[in-house]
Amino acid sequence: MDAEEDFLNLRRVTGSMDEPPNGALGHDAQRSDFLSTTTKEQVEESSMPALSNDQSSDALVSKPLKTVESDPLSSFALQATNESLPSPTISAEHPGTPESRVHQSRSASADTTSVGTPLGNLALPPKPRTIGGFLVDDDEDVPPVTKGLLNPGVASNAGTNALSAPNRSISRSPLANVPFAQSVSSHEADVLNSSGVASVISNGASAPGAKVLGASTSVSASEHNPQLTASSTASGVPKARLPHDTVGIFEDRIKADPRGDLEAWLGLISEHRKRNKLPEARGVYERFLKYFPLAAEQWVAYAEMELSQDNFYNAEQIFNKSLLSVPSVQLWKVYLDYVRRRNNLSTDSTGQARNVISQAYDFVLSKVGIDQDSGHIWNDYLQFVRSAPGTVGGSSWQDQQKMDLLRKAYQRAICVPNQMVTTMWKEYNAFEIGLNKITGRKALQDKSPAYMSAQSSYKALQNITRGLNRTTLPRLPPAPGFDGFDEYMNQVQIWKRWLEWEKEDPLALKDEDIKAFNDRVIYVYKQALMALQFWPEMWYDAASFCIMQGLITEGDDLLIQGIARNPESCLLAFKRADRLEIAPKKDVGDDDNIKRSEIVREPYDKVLDALYSLYAKTKEREMEEVTKFEREARLRETSFEGDQNGDEDDEDAEDRKGNAEAALQAQIKAITDGFEAQYHLLSHTITAIWIALMRAMRRLQGQGGSGKVGGMRKVFADARKRGKLTSEIYTENAKIEHNCYRDPSVQRIFERGLKLFPADEKIALEYIKHLIAVNDTTNARAVFETTVSRMASKPETLMKAKTLYDFFHDFETSYGDLFNLQSLEKRMKELFPEASQSSRFSQRFMLDDFNPTAVRIIVSPATQMKLRAPTILLEQAAPQASPPVRSPKRAFVDDSDDGDRPRKLARGESPLKGAAGRRLDQQKRFQQQNNSQDLTGQWPQQAPPPPSLPRDVYFLLSIIPAAASYHATKFSPAAIVKLLRDTNIPNQPPQIPRPVPTNQTFIGSTLQPGGYNSRHSETRSGHKF
């Protein structure tokens, strides 16, 4: 049954799908009406100018309130706010923020303010503030970090318009006054110049690439000017909320971390429900489930909230959204309860309600009936069948029909490993025996193997899943070494053990019913993905299993869902791209190579967009944390100065301030260093994705670079435009150009990369290797000298030069002359004195795995290969004053300090008589001989060592490998001895007894001559011996 049939069955099973009552539209419909109405009213009331093609009215419809508040040219926005917003100036020379880029689309020549002042030369000071009717100086309330943001030159040109100008926030970016040379990093400037993007014109007009430049400017300026960074973020830090504003605090936390702060989501939902604000709670549920669509627990809570208010239409909409994609027993049980609630059996005269409920049970059991926790649903289903009209064992058609349905239900239930399987088997046993003992035993005998397999499988499954937390609220995996990492990985390992157990096919389904086997494994994968939604490896394994089993559609759907849940995952993006690249052309649509390449490129673009967005958010978070930390430090300093009230000496105050400032800078450096590690990781990941995309486009389109077919060169250009790269992108591009196309531009690519990454030894090493490979040793030496001189000039990059020195030392050893080699070793000795001179010298003559300078040649085997005499290690106890006495009696305790209390006297050992006494005495004498010393304190002389073995035997023992090197099958000595001891081997084979001769006689069990065959002394002839 495919997804469409399941959906139709779901609608049919639920009975009557209610239409929304009047005035009770769904939340989404109400929200869309509210947005459209609000937008229309705002557009009619506001006096906004005409928008360009880029600023369509759709942007207003999607976010009307935010658009009205953020648009600086809206008179309605100016009237709607009473707060005095910071008003940094805008510089048309540097459009660095999204707000400024919005106004770039308008005509620069016609873009003027209401007083006719051009935007490029306008400075809008804040509106004068009043408190209690008196004017307040703005400098008193402006935070220290915001001072100096206004351009002095522009502010002076404003003149007398400072008080009369309207309060408009033209641009929130304080980067508008930063010179262009300081705003763009060397790498980004090189990218723009090499890609043909013109610089921003000084009169305010911008080139076509100004939008890209603006995005780079906001990041680069913060890197080059830390003070500007702190100033720019002061206005961007959200204001602290009041403690009683619980909803606002939760909203801020969700906005800052929507996928990680689960407690904020749940707390916000609980807060709205506690205040009985169901529309707000409904909206939070919808937002939450967009981030966590597999959170079955919240789907259940959402549905129960609607059912508690008798909102059946909304509940059915929830079931339609969740049931087919969330295989949760709890959620499906809520659906069953809803179906039974809407279909009353007590008033069912036609049998229609019972039929609907029966179909619902069949539908539910087909989806979650294989779950180990589905035993209660199976038991409810059996009770439902038992309650049907008719009598079990009756003779009418209705009775026979009920008996057949009940037998079929029992036989399905006892084959599923669940917690009720034993109870249901007992009920089935009583059911069959109650009908007919003969046929019942036959039926039980046929189904007994399936029941035993289910029972044993359930017990094994309980052991495997012990400690498993089957939650449906996924959490982001903690970083290695941090809190919660070990517990999270333990859960991952338990899920993997369960999956491996299912793949081993303990129920023997693979040969008989391959579909049932696949369904069980895929079901466990879906259960794992509900708990490990943010673990990409689980999505990858699930998709790979489906593809391997021939379920192509299911595998591709899992990849798409995994990418949606983990947009930053390179693993899922690469797997999806490979699937699209190897897919037949008919599956991807048009045969055009360009369209095919666009389809293959889509997963790469998605993961790149996600990582670039994460990079920008990380940058913002760093700026906010640094600014917050500085602000708290300033507040502490101000509070301390207020407490002193001038009692502190000036010298002590200066020392204290200096120490506080040094501590502050050290803590800020620690914060920036931590974020720098994150930037480094993100840059490496982004570079690896661009390299993978470049290789894929080479396979599909080749080198490219002309016409519509961009090829790998277009990917390389796109990567340089977006930035945040490492040197590997230049190295890989140069290698592809050289190895695949022998293009002469390889040297220019290496030089450009070496210029952008002067402190990176990897690209310098690869460039030197390339020059040596093309037999350009002159340039190779020049690159080496230039690079190591630059690195050796700074202590922090000195160790990076060691890699280049080692490589060039090997090169000079193999292909250079001795003079250059000795000169190089002298330089290495000065720069790296910790290295051994002999090891550096011997390195000249080393092969891959052999060092001839360390070989010890055997000149005289008789002298140099003399075997060692075997030594016997004897464990000797420490010398004691008196030999220990082994006795079963208690040791004598000296109680001389106990006063005149009578004490027991120690007595000697009781002698043992007979053989037991002799053995004990012999053991005692032997122990005293080996483990004790005489009265003089001298140890007894050891016995002389045994005679040495022959020389050839010693040589054989020396060349035999050690026992640890033997990796084949090993036998246990104890087990072999036990086997030999317990094996009953007869002394002689059994023989057929011969007939007893008449002249022999048996005395007891001994054969005696004379025919004696009894215990008495008598013979056959009656004579006695």
Side-chain angles (χ1 to χ4, degrees):
M1 182 181 298
D2 56 7
E4 295 180 358
E5 294 177 354
D6 290 341
F7 180 76
L8 295 177
N9 291 335
L10 179 61
R11 294 181 61 86
R12 183 176 66 251
V13 165
T14 54
S16 59
M17 301 292 288
D18 293 346
E19 296 297 332
N22 295 331
L25 293 175
H27 175 66
D28 294 337
Q30 295 176 6
R31 187 172 183 271
S32 61
D33 286 345
F34 167 75
L35 292 181
S36 60
T37 304
T38 306
T39 303
K40 182 183 298 185
E41 294 174 356
Q42 292 171 352
V43 172
E44 289 177 357
E45 293 179 8
S46 62
S47 56
M48 296 180 62
L51 298 176
S52 63
N53 293 332
D54 295 336
Q55 295 291 320
S56 62
S57 60
D58 294 338
L60 296 177
V61 175
S62 59
K63 296 181 179 179
L65 298 179
K66 183 177 180 180
T67 304
V68 171
E69 293 176 359
S70 62
D71 193 299
L73 300 182
S74 173
S75 60
F76 179 77
L78 297 176
Q79 298 171 4
T81 178
N82 294 325
E83 298 180 358
S84 177
L85 300 178
S87 303
T89 60
I90 180 170
S91 175
E93 186 178 358
H94 306 291
T97 60
E99 290 85 353
S100 62
R101 291 198 299 270
V102 170
H103 305 305
Q104 290 176 15
S105 60
R106 300 183 176 91
S107 174
S109 60
D111 196 358
T112 59
T113 61
S114 59
V115 295
T117 305
L119 289 177
N121 300 321
L122 178 64
L124 299 179
K127 185 178 179 180
R129 299 182 58 191
T130 60
I131 298 179
F134 295 94
L135 291 176
V136 179
D137 189 4
D138 290 338
D139 293 337
E140 297 178 1
D141 293 333
V142 176
V145 292
T146 61
K147 294 182 180 179
L149 288 180
L150 299 179
N151 192 334
V154 177
S156 62
N157 294 335
T160 58
N161 295 331
L163 297 179
S164 60
N167 181 19
R168 298 178 181 175
S169 178
I170 302 300
S171 174
R172 294 184 182 179
S173 173
L175 304 177
N177 302 319
V178 181
F180 178 75
Q182 298 179 1
S183 301
V184 183
S185 63
S186 59
H187 172 66
E188 291 166 340
D190 176 72
V191 169
L192 294 175
N193 294 331
S194 61
S195 58
V197 180
S199 302
V200 180
I201 305 174
S202 60
N203 61 1
S206 59
K211 184 174 182 180
V212 178
L213 177 63
S216 303
T217 304
S218 61
V219 177
S220 303
S222 63
E223 295 175 353
H224 292 281
N225 196 342
Q227 296 178 356
L228 182 62
T229 300
S231 301
S232 63
T233 56
S235 60
V237 177
K239 296 181 179 179
R241 294 184 180 270
L242 297 176
H244 64 270
D245 188 8
T246 309
V247 174
I249 294 174
F250 283 139
E251 289 287 359
D252 291 342
R253 290 172 55 184
I254 291 172
K255 183 179 179 181
D257 189 9
R259 287 191 295 172
D261 201 345
L262 277 174
E263 289 75 12
W265 283 107
L266 302 180
L268 183 59
I269 293 173
S270 175
E271 189 69 21
H272 285 313
R273 296 191 62 175
K274 184 168 57 177
R275 300 180 182 182
N276 201 23
K277 295 182 178 181
L278 297 186
E280 288 79 0
R282 194 177 290 118
V284 178
Y285 270 122
E286 293 293 337
R287 290 159 51 199
F288 174 85
L289 294 171
K290 287 181 180 179
Y291 286 99
F292 309 97
L294 301 179
E297 298 174 8
Q298 296 308 308
W299 282 112
V300 170
Y302 191 12
E304 289 179 345
M305 184 189 75
E306 298 292 355
L307 292 175
S308 64
Q309 301 296 322
D310 295 339
N311 295 329
F312 298 132
Y313 175 80
N314 292 341
E316 290 177 358
Q317 297 301 316
I318 293 172
F319 290 140
N320 287 333
K321 293 177 183 178
S322 61
L323 283 178
L324 298 180
S325 59
V326 183
S328 170
V329 174
Q330 185 181 5
L331 179 61
W332 283 90
K333 195 171 187 309
V334 173
Y335 164 72
L336 276 175
D337 295 340
Y338 169 71
V339 173
R340 299 192 68 167
R341 176 182 177 182
R342 298 302 302 275
N343 297 272
N344 192 356
L345 294 178
S346 60
T347 59
D348 183 27
S349 59
T350 61
Q352 180 66 25
R354 177 170 291 276
N355 187 26
V356 171
I357 296 175
S358 179
Q359 293 179 9
Y361 268 114
D362 291 336
F363 185 55
V364 171
L365 292 174
S366 66
K367 296 299 180 183
V368 295
I370 59 178
D371 196 290
Q372 63 172 341
D373 296 334
S374 63
H376 294 291
I377 297 180
W378 282 105
N379 190 48
D380 292 344
Y381 178 54
L382 293 172
Q383 298 301 325
F384 171 75
V385 176
R386 281 182 177 274
S387 65
T391 303
V392 177
S395 57
S396 64
W397 66 268
Q398 194 175 30
D399 300 336
Q400 297 294 327
Q401 184 183 44
K402 180 177 180 179
M403 181 184 64
D404 294 339
L405 289 175
L406 194 57
R407 177 180 287 113
K408 182 180 179 180
Y410 272 123
Q411 292 178 355
R412 289 175 58 192
I414 61 175
C415 297
V416 179
N418 56 62
Q419 72 272 33
M420 300 288 293
V421 64
T422 303
T423 303
M424 290 184 292
W425 170 257
K426 293 179 180 179
E427 294 178 0
Y428 177 58
N429 194 345
F431 167 76
E432 292 289 357
I433 297 299
L435 292 177
N436 191 315
K437 291 185 178 181
I438 298 177
T439 58
R441 290 195 181 97
K442 179 66 169 60
L444 293 173
Q445 185 178 1
D446 293 340
K447 291 298 178 181
S448 179
Y451 159 70
M452 296 299 296
S453 177
Q455 186 186 36
S456 60
S457 297
Y458 177 72
K459 292 181 179 179
L461 194 58
Q462 289 295 104
N463 295 329
I464 292 173
T465 59
R466 183 176 290 111
L468 180 64
N469 182 17
R470 294 188 64 180
T471 181
T472 61
L473 291 175
R475 296 185 179 274
L476 291 169
F482 287 85
D483 182 37
F485 175 76
D486 295 335
E487 292 78 4
Y488 191 92
M489 295 306 301
N490 183 39
Q491 294 296 310
V492 173
Q493 295 302 322
I494 295 176
W495 281 111
K496 288 184 176 181
R497 287 204 305 267
W498 187 358
L499 287 165
E500 291 298 327
W501 181 81
E502 290 288 351
K503 292 178 182 179
E504 292 174 0
D505 193 19
L507 298 177
L509 299 174
K510 188 180 295 185
D511 297 332
E512 299 178 359
D513 190 356
I514 187 64
K515 183 179 181 302
F517 169 75
N518 292 335
D519 290 343
R520 284 194 63 89
V521 177
I522 294 175
Y523 182 82
V524 179
Y525 267 120
K526 291 182 178 180
Q527 294 292 314
L529 290 174
M530 287 195 294
L532 305 177
Q533 175 180 321
F534 301 115
W535 190 252
E537 287 83 352
M538 191 62 67
W539 291 96
Y540 177 86
D541 293 342
S544 300
F545 175 81
C546 293
I547 295 172
M548 182 177 60
Q549 296 298 115
L551 307 174
I552 305 300
T553 304
E554 289 80 355
D556 292 339
D557 291 342
L558 285 173
L559 283 176
I560 294 173
Q561 296 176 27
I563 292 174
R565 305 283 77 80
N566 301 273
E568 302 88 2
S569 173
C570 298
L571 176 65
L572 299 178
F574 294 162
K575 181 65 175 179
R576 177 61 178 165
D578 285 351
R579 293 288 306 159
L580 294 174
E581 187 174 351
I582 66 175
K585 294 183 178 181
K586 61 180 180 180
D587 292 343
V588 296
D590 195 0
D591 194 17
D592 188 10
N593 192 21
I594 298 177
K595 185 174 181 179
R596 182 180 177 86
S597 300
E598 292 176 354
I599 295 175
V600 173
R601 181 167 177 167
E602 181 181 358
Y604 293 103
D605 290 337
K606 287 184 177 180
V607 67
L608 284 172
D609 293 340
L611 289 177
Y612 276 112
S613 176
L614 181 60
Y615 194 101
K617 291 180 180 178
T618 306
K619 204 75 175 179
E620 294 175 0
R621 189 164 63 249
E622 179 191 11
M623 296 163 67
E624 290 178 0
E625 290 190 10
V626 170
T627 304
K628 181 180 178 181
F629 194 82
E630 290 179 343
R631 184 173 57 188
E632 292 176 354
R634 300 291 182 263
L635 291 176
R636 288 195 300 268
E637 179 68 20
T638 304
S639 177
F640 182 82
E641 291 178 354
D643 295 339
Q644 293 296 325
N645 294 326
D647 298 337
E648 189 178 13
D649 295 338
D650 294 340
E651 185 177 355
D652 295 341
E654 291 296 332
D655 294 341
R656 181 182 53 79
K657 290 181 179 179
N659 296 334
E661 185 66 23
L664 174 63
Q665 295 301 325
Q667 293 175 345
I668 291 177
K669 186 178 182 302
I671 295 175
T672 55
D673 290 344
F675 279 98
E676 191 64 30
Q678 299 183 36
Y679 300 145
H680 184 72
L681 179 62
L682 288 173
S683 297
H684 267 78
T685 307
I686 291 172
T687 303
I689 297 171
W690 280 115
I691 292 174
L693 177 58
M694 190 165 55
R695 293 170 179 171
M697 291 300 105
R698 185 202 61 80
R699 293 191 296 265
L700 294 174
Q701 296 182 345
Q703 189 178 20
S706 62
K708 296 182 178 180
V709 180
M712 71 159 208
R713 288 189 170 181
K714 184 178 184 303
V715 176
F716 183 53
D718 294 342
R720 295 170 64 197
K721 289 180 183 179
R722 300 191 70 173
K724 308 298 181 292
L725 304 173
T726 59
S727 62
E728 283 85 352
I729 187 71
Y730 291 90
T731 301
E732 291 299 323
N733 182 262
K735 287 182 178 180
I736 294 175
E737 292 282 3
H738 175 70
N739 296 326
C740 297
Y741 306 106
R742 300 297 176 181
D743 196 276
S745 64
V746 176
Q747 187 170 352
R748 293 197 304 271
I749 296 173
F750 271 120
E751 290 176 355
R752 181 63 57 83
L754 196 59
K755 180 180 179 181
L756 295 174
F757 303 96
D760 194 336
E761 76 281 5
K762 296 179 182 178
I763 187 172
L765 181 60
E766 294 296 333
Y767 189 19
I768 294 172
K769 289 181 179 179
H770 168 74
L771 292 174
I772 293 175
V774 298
N775 201 22
D776 190 358
T777 57
T778 303
N779 284 329
R781 295 178 187 276
V783 172
F784 168 75
E785 293 294 340
T786 304
T787 306
V788 297
S789 299
R790 182 169 53 246
M791 291 183 177
S793 62
K794 298 179 181 180
E796 60 271 13
T797 58
L798 176 60
M799 294 308 298
K800 294 183 178 181
K802 191 175 186 304
T803 304
L804 299 178
Y805 273 109
D806 291 340
F807 172 79
F808 219 76
H809 183 271
D810 295 340
F811 170 75
E812 291 289 358
T813 299
S814 303
Y815 311 108
D817 54 22
L818 186 59
F819 178 77
N820 292 336
L821 182 59
Q822 291 178 348
S823 176
L824 183 63
E825 289 182 349
K826 182 178 180 181
R827 294 168 57 187
M828 294 175 67
K829 181 180 180 181
E830 295 175 355
L831 293 175
F832 312 106
E834 66 277 1
S836 174
Q837 187 70 16
S838 60
S839 62
R840 186 179 295 115
F841 177 79
S842 63
Q843 190 176 359
R844 299 187 194 176
F845 312 98
M846 288 183 61
L847 302 180
D848 292 337
D849 55 351
F850 180 71
N851 185 7
T853 62
V855 173
R856 301 293 181 265
I857 304 299
I858 303 299
V859 179
S860 174
T863 303
Q864 296 178 272
M865 299 180 63
K866 184 182 296 184
L867 299 176
R868 296 179 180 178
T871 57
I872 301 177
L873 299 178
L874 298 177
E875 296 182 0
Q876 298 177 349
Q880 300 178 359
S882 60
V885 179
R886 293 183 177 271
S887 172
K889 303 294 183 178
R890 292 180 300 174
F892 171 72
V893 180
D894 187 7
D895 295 334
S896 57
D897 296 336
D898 293 343
D900 298 333
R901 183 177 58 86
R903 299 185 300 272
K904 292 184 179 180
L905 299 178
R907 62 181 182 180
E909 299 180 4
S910 300
L912 297 177
K913 300 180 181 180
R918 290 193 298 271
R919 284 195 299 270
L920 181 61
D921 184 63
Q922 182 180 3
Q923 293 177 2
K924 184 183 302 183
R925 287 198 304 270
F926 179 77
Q927 185 175 4
Q928 291 177 357
Q929 180 181 357
N930 292 311
N931 297 333
S932 64
Q933 58 183 357
D934 54 9
L935 297 177
T936 60
Q938 301 292 332
W939 289 94
Q941 297 182 357
Q942 297 181 356
S948 61
L949 296 175
R951 175 171 170 269
D952 296 337
V953 176
Y954 270 116
F955 178 74
L956 177 62
L957 295 176
S958 64
I959 64 177
I960 292 178
S965 62
Y966 186 75
H967 301 291
T969 305
K970 296 182 180 180
F971 296 97
S972 174
I976 294 177
V977 171
K978 181 180 179 181
L979 177 64
L980 295 177
R981 184 182 66 245
D982 297 341
T983 303
N984 186 13
I985 302 177
N987 295 330
Q988 58 183 2
Q991 299 180 358
I992 301 175
R994 294 178 294 176
V996 180
T998 57
N999 60 347
Q1000 291 182 349
T1001 303
F1002 287 92
I1003 301 177
S1005 60
T1006 305
L1007 183 64
Q1008 299 291 342
Y1012 190 82
N1013 198 16
S1014 65
R1015 295 183 180 273
H1016 304 285
S1017 300
E1018 58 183 13
T1019 60
R1020 293 178 182 266
S1021 59
H1023 298 284
K1024 295 183 179 179
F1025 293 97

